[in-house]
């Protein structure tokens, strides 16, 4: 999540607008929209969770393949 926040901060510092289209909120340079920041952090948290679950399932699949001798 830290990496994502840094990327967004770098983009908004260059006047790039990061928009959450479904909610209609935007992150802009010098704008203090707590809901937009919340959405960014919430989305990053879900992405991190999905990545962790995927890696865990992959590791389980590898273990099962080893047991089967594949």
């Amino acid at each position: 999540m830290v990496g994502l926040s840094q990327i967004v901060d770098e983009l908004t510092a260059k006047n790039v607008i990061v928009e959450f289209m479904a909610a209609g909120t935007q992150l802009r340079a010098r704008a203090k929209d707590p809901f937009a920041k919340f959405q960014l952090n919430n989305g990053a948290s879900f992405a991190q969770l999905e990545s962790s679950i995927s890696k865990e399932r992959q590791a389980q699949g590898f273990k099962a393949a080893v047991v089967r001798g594949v």
Side-chain angles (χ1 to χ4, degrees), residues 5-57:
S5 291
Q6 288 174 344
I7 291 169
V8 170
D9 288 343
E10 289 173 15
L11 290 172
T12 55
K14 296 177 182 178
N15 293 320
V16 173
I17 298 170
V18 178
E19 182 173 3
F20 299 97
M21 297 175 70
T25 57
Q26 299 177 338
L27 288 170
R28 299 171 177 256
R30 297 176 299 281
K32 303 229 187 306
D33 183 353
F35 186 69
K37 194 69 167 176
F38 167 77
Q39 280 190 295
L40 175 67
N41 292 334
N42 198 25
S45 294
F46 277 111
Q48 185 176 12
L49 174 64
E50 284 291 322
S51 177
S52 296
I53 290 171
S54 178
K55 288 177 185 176
E56 186 176 298
R57 287 182 181 160

